[in-house]
Amino acid sequence: MIQDDPDALIASLEAVQDMLYNKQNAVVMFAGNEQGIALFEEHIGSMLDDIPQEEIVPAELSLPTADAREGIIVDSTVQYNLLYASNEAVGIEYSGKLVPLNSLIYDGYTTPQLRHGLGAYDSIVSFGERGMLFVSYRDPAVAETYAVYEGLADYAKNAEITQEDLDRYIVSSYSSYVLPQGELSGAIN
């Protein structure tokens, strides 16, 4: 396009710029020491004040409809199968005690079942402050993956885990949280 129709390319890039150059719903994040934060707060206004704030008109999309328990179906060679529940919905309160369960379920259940058994590229297990999330990606099996997810509760209830195993997961989780970090990456994390 640069060689054949440079004016159309420039017009297209300017259209993207016009669409993105908008502070409506902008989120600005800064991480730094006290001196840096003071400078940031002093100067961020001058940057944001010059950016226009325009209404964002939602795009009209034609997406396939899905069943009540199904997400958006995407015509893609890569599938992401996801199961999520808020902590409130399942009646638990977040605690750091849940963190070792990420690795325990990943190592003992989702990796053998989804990756080794069904051929998914990998999976994610996350117990977080808002909820629990289980994701498989590059996953060729949809129905089978959700059947594996349905077995999560039974696995958690019936897994034969020794205190020694649990202690290893606790120490591993703790050690990943206390790794030394630089000032900026630590603040961002």
Side-chain angles (χ1 to χ4, degrees), residues 63-74 82 142-143 146:
L63 296 172
T65 57
D67 292 334
R69 295 186 60 180
E70 190 174 67
I72 296 173
I73 299 168
V74 179
L82 178 138
V142 178
Y146 285 100

Side-chain angles (χ1 to χ4, degrees), residues 151-165:
L152 276 165
D154 285 338
Y155 172 76
K157 287 178 192 173
N158 301 317
E160 294 183 15
I161 301 161
T162 66
Q163 186 61 49
E164 184 180 350
D165 293 334

Side-chain angles (χ1 to χ4, degrees), residues 2-156:
I2 289 173
Q3 293 173 349
D4 298 338
D5 196 355
D7 291 337
L9 176 62
I10 290 169
S12 177
L13 292 172
E14 287 174 344
V16 170
Q17 180 184 25
D18 290 342
M19 183 176 64
L20 296 177
Y21 193 63
N22 183 0
K23 68 180 173 188
Q24 181 74 24
N25 298 332
V27 175
V28 179
M29 184 177 93
F30 178 81
N33 60 25
E34 288 183 22
Q35 230 178 347
I37 292 169
L39 283 170
F40 167 78
E41 289 175 346
E42 180 182 339
H43 296 287
I44 187 62
S46 62
M47 182 188 100
L48 289 177
D49 289 343
D50 294 339
I51 300 173
Q53 184 166 347
E54 305 290 337
E55 179 185 358
I56 298 172
V57 179
E60 289 188 29
L61 302 173
S62 175
L63 296 172
T65 57
D67 292 334
R69 295 186 60 180
E70 190 174 67
I72 296 173
I73 299 168
V74 179
D75 184 15
S76 169
T77 56
V78 177
Q79 282 298 329
Y80 296 82
N81 298 312
L82 178 138
L83 179 67
Y84 172 82
S86 69
N87 291 336
E88 182 181 25
V90 295
I92 63 169
E93 187 174 327
Y94 177 76
S95 161
K97 294 176 183 180
L98 294 171
V99 174
L101 291 179
N102 295 340
S103 299
L104 186 111
I105 291 173
Y106 176 82
D107 289 348
Y109 188 72
T110 61
T111 296
Q113 297 281 333
L114 300 176
R115 186 172 187 174
H116 302 151
L118 297 177
Y121 182 79
D122 207 352
S123 65
I124 297 168
V125 176
S126 176
F127 290 89
E129 291 181 23
R130 294 189 177 139
M132 54 185 71
L133 174 71
F134 305 93
V135 181
S136 68
Y137 55 96
R138 294 187 185 167
D139 187 347
V142 178
E144 294 88 346
T145 294
Y146 285 100
V148 168
Y149 289 154
E150 286 178 17
L152 276 165
D154 285 338
Y155 172 76

